[in-house]
């Protein structure tokens, strides 16, 4: 099981020195990947009455692909993971180009996690349709993979038309791995049909077992081997190192291929505070 970290951008966002120090230190500590969340804009709760989600207009978020372009230059081996890019609110061909550039700059270290998202305010601001985001994602993934592997692409789908065009230079990985964040049956089925791996938003237990069964059944229905589909869990640090170790063990027992440790929202104020916790966690890693 490959253990990585979640970049705590809600506390450290906007500080390039923190990004550099964090990326270099977690690589030194032996973590295998850095995962970053994605929100382009936040909602203003004074305008959107009753807004009760965890993120709003005051919450800091780095743009993951731009941040990874920076991290590619200051790290050497750590994998860079979007967890997840809200794909349907973005232009597919532009995502393909940006992801290919990060993959090139990092020497083939990008893993592109995608999802459909939940924030209708963000969709509106980006001029995207919130209603058809699921079906559009299926077509986007197919187009992304072709753009990463073919010099010239002609594609005529329900939502996209490309006529004899390509994104040269192509990425190192052809195609870049696409993982899907899923929290519902349609998302689980999409992961099984299309993804190289998935991010379940639930803890190990019966609910995860049920979700994985949906993923595996969808994979079999698509003629795929379920064992070839990775699974990445999430461990939330809340002040108890022993609890982190126990959760890592639970994810390993559940069959996770990857897991990320998050120190966000744990009362840690500086990059050094976050790194000190991760150094302690790293001491127990195999």
């Amino acid at each position: 099981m490959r253990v990585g970290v979640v970049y705590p951008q809600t506390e450290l966002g906007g500080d390039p020195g923190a990004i550099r120090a964090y990326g270099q230190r977690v690589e030194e500590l032996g973590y295998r990947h850095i995962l970053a969340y994605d929100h382009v804009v936040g909602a203003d709760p004074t305008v959107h009455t009753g807004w009760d989600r965890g993120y709003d207009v005051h919450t800091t978020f780095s743009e993951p692909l731009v941040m990874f372009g920076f991290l590619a230059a200051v790290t050497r081996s750590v994998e860079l993971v979007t967890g997840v890019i809200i794909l349907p609110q973005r232009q597919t061909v532009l995502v393909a180009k940006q992801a290919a550039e990060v993959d090139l700059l990092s020497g083939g270290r990008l893993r592109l996690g995608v999802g459909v998202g939940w924030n209708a305010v963000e969709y509106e601001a980006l001029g995207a349709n919130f209603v058809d985001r699921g079906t559009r994602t299926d077509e986007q993934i197919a187009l992304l993979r072709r753009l990463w592997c073919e010099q010239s692409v002609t594609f005529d789908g329900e939502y996209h038309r490309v006529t004899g065009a390509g994104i040269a230079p192509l990425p190192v990985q052809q195609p870049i791995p696409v993982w899907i964040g899923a929290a519902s049956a349609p998302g689980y089925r999409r992961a099984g049909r299309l993804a190289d791996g998935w991010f379940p938003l639930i803890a190990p237990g019966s609910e995860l077992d049920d979700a994985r069964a949906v993923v595996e059944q969808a994979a079999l229905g698509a003629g795929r081997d379920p064992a070839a589909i990775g699974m990445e869990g999430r461990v939330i640090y809340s002040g108890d190192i022993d609890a982190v170790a126990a959760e890592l063990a639970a994810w390993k027992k559940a069959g996770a291929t990857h897991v990320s440790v998050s120190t966000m929202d744990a009362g840690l104020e500086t990059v050094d505070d976050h790194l000190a916790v991760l150094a302690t966690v790293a001491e127990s890693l195999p």
Side-chain angles (χ1 to χ4, degrees):
M1 186 175 71
R2 299 166 65 97
V3 180
V5 296
V6 176
Y7 182 70
Q9 53 187 319
T10 57
E11 287 119 359
L12 304 179
D15 184 348
I19 295 172
R20 177 193 297 268
Y22 187 92
Q24 292 178 338
R25 181 58 177 149
V26 296
E27 189 172 71
E28 290 173 357
L29 290 170
Y31 287 101
R32 306 296 292 277
H33 58 271
I34 299 172
L35 183 146
Y37 298 151
D38 172 45
H39 279 292
V40 178
V41 297
D44 185 346
T46 66
V47 175
H48 299 276
T49 305
W51 185 264
D52 61 353
R53 304 305 291 257
Y55 307 128
D56 62 25
V57 71
H58 303 289
T59 311
T60 58
F61 278 94
S62 296
E63 200 294 311
L65 294 173
V66 174
M67 184 177 79
F68 286 167
F70 176 77
L71 278 171
V74 299
T75 60
R76 293 291 175 264
S77 61
V78 69
E79 186 183 32
L80 307 172
V81 185
T82 60
V84 295
I85 287 286
I86 311 304
L87 187 59
Q89 68 187 18
R90 295 174 178 244
Q91 295 172 302
T92 310
V93 176
L94 184 56
V95 171
K97 181 70 172 180
Q98 292 170 318
E101 188 71 10
V102 172
D103 198 59
L104 283 164
L105 292 172
S106 65
R109 289 188 277 139
L110 178 65
R111 176 160 40 110
L112 190 73
V114 303
V116 300
W118 51 266
N119 192 341
V121 173
E122 194 167 31
Y123 270 80
E124 178 189 59
L126 289 165
N129 188 335
F130 186 74
V131 176
D132 65 4
R133 65 195 191 280
T135 55
R136 198 160 71 253
T137 296
D138 292 3
E139 186 170 297
Q140 287 181 289
I141 292 172
L143 179 55
L144 285 172
R145 286 175 169 150
R146 288 195 58 189
L147 287 164
W148 290 329
C149 297
E150 301 175 28
Q151 198 71 63
S152 177
V153 173
T154 295
F155 186 99
D156 190 4
E158 182 177 356
Y159 304 100
H160 302 81
R161 175 171 293 178
V162 179
T163 305
I167 62 163
L170 298 177
V172 174
Q173 301 178 96
Q174 297 183 18
I176 294 167
V178 175
W179 286 47
I180 289 177
S184 65
Y188 302 147
R189 289 192 290 269
R190 182 172 297 111
R193 292 195 319 271
L194 301 174
D196 297 298
W198 65 303
F199 303 97
L201 303 182
I202 46 182
S206 59
E207 190 177 357
L208 176 63
D209 294 339
D210 291 343
R212 184 163 47 188
V214 176
V215 172
E216 291 175 352
Q217 187 60 42
L220 291 170
R224 306 181 66 208
D225 178 6
I229 300 173
M231 180 174 70
E232 173 153 342
R234 194 74 41 84
V235 172
I236 309 298
Y237 169 76
S238 58
D240 186 343
I241 294 292
D242 291 338
V244 170
E247 289 185 51
L248 287 170
W251 275 109
K252 185 173 183 178
K253 183 177 180 181
T257 57
H258 301 65
V259 68
S260 291
V261 178
S262 174
T263 56
M264 288 174 58
D265 302 321
L268 306 173
E269 297 183 359
T270 69
V271 64
D272 290 338
D273 293 338
H274 287 275
L275 291 171
V277 170
L278 293 175
T280 302
V281 173
E283 291 175 358
S284 65
L285 298 180

